[in-house]
Amino acid sequence: MKNILGGALALGLLCSTAVHAAGYGIVDLEKIVEQSVYIKQQNASMQQQIKPQTAKIESLTKELEALQQRAQQNTKLSDAEKKSMTQQYQSKVQELTALQQKVQGSVESSIQALNRTMDSRIKQVAEQLRKENNLDVVLNKNSALAYDAKYDLTDKMIQQVNAIK
């Protein structure tokens, strides 16, 4: 009787572990993003792309400041000169605003594309790690209240995300 009960208990434990996979894995998404070679490359590329526009924005800002100072210092300007300076100022403000909007739109578009690409890469690698480690789920560190550090897959994930070309 004792052997039958022990065998049944062992069989029950075996069945419960066979139905349930190894568990979970944890990743620190912030760390993955911070250490992403792809993001660093894309940021550098974006900075280079918008460098001429940002230089022009700085130049226009300085020109506007100079126009303001000239208008404030020259209180004895004729109406024609005042009108001309006002038109110059408004023209430069419009040019500056248009350029700022263009740069902002370009940056936002690049960030959206970057986010889509990184999201895809992270999901791909998470699924790969989940399968390799026979896990039920891979969670973001911020979603877990407490966990054992031995389940942290962050470093593996960083390596694999950075390996994607």
Side-chain angles (χ1 to χ4, degrees):
M1 181 75 166
K2 204 177 196 180
N3 285 342
I4 295 173
L5 187 59
L9 183 61
L11 183 60
L13 286 173
L14 182 61
C15 287
S16 69
T17 55
V19 171
H20 187 71
Y24 64 93
I26 299 292
V27 295
D28 185 345
L29 285 177
E30 288 180 38
K31 186 175 177 182
I32 293 166
V33 169
E34 286 172 4
Q35 295 185 14
S36 167
V37 171
Y38 175 74
I39 288 179
K40 290 175 184 173
Q41 290 170 340
Q42 293 302 308
N43 281 338
S45 174
M46 185 177 17
Q47 290 297 325
Q48 283 301 108
Q49 266 183 336
I50 64 171
K51 195 173 187 174
Q53 290 96 343
T54 55
K56 180 67 175 172
I57 287 171
E58 289 174 17
S59 172
L60 285 169
T61 302
K62 288 178 183 176
E63 289 177 37
L64 286 168
E65 289 171 0
L67 276 172
Q68 268 185 324
Q69 286 179 350
R70 217 169 70 205
Q72 290 171 348
Q73 291 171 351
N74 296 325
T75 55
K76 298 179 182 179
L77 293 174
S78 69
D79 287 342
E81 290 172 319
K82 287 179 186 178
K83 185 177 181 180
S84 173
M85 285 182 79
T86 301
Q87 287 174 340
Q88 274 185 309
Y89 187 84
Q90 289 174 345
S91 173
K92 292 208 182 288
V93 166
Q94 288 174 345
E95 184 180 356
L96 176 63
T97 302
L99 189 54
Q100 287 172 327
Q101 289 173 347
K102 181 180 176 185
V103 169
Q104 182 178 357
S106 174
V107 168
E108 287 174 1
S109 176
S110 294
I111 289 172
Q112 288 172 354
L114 179 67
N115 285 341
R116 283 190 300 273
T117 301
M118 278 304 293
D119 184 56
S120 172
R121 288 179 178 200
I122 287 171
K123 286 178 180 175
Q124 174 187 345
V125 171
E127 182 61 20
Q128 183 180 342
L129 286 172
R130 187 191 70 74
K131 287 178 180 177
E132 286 173 4
N133 293 288
N134 195 31
L135 302 173
D136 292 323
V137 66
V138 176
L139 300 170
N140 181 4
K141 173 183 165 183
N142 295 335
S143 299
L145 297 175
Y147 64 92
D148 190 332
K150 70 182 179 184
Y151 297 111
D152 192 330
L153 302 171
T154 303
D155 292 335
K156 286 181 183 178
M157 192 152 183
I158 290 169
Q159 289 172 351
Q160 290 185 10
V161 166
N162 284 338
I164 297 173
K165 298 294 174 198

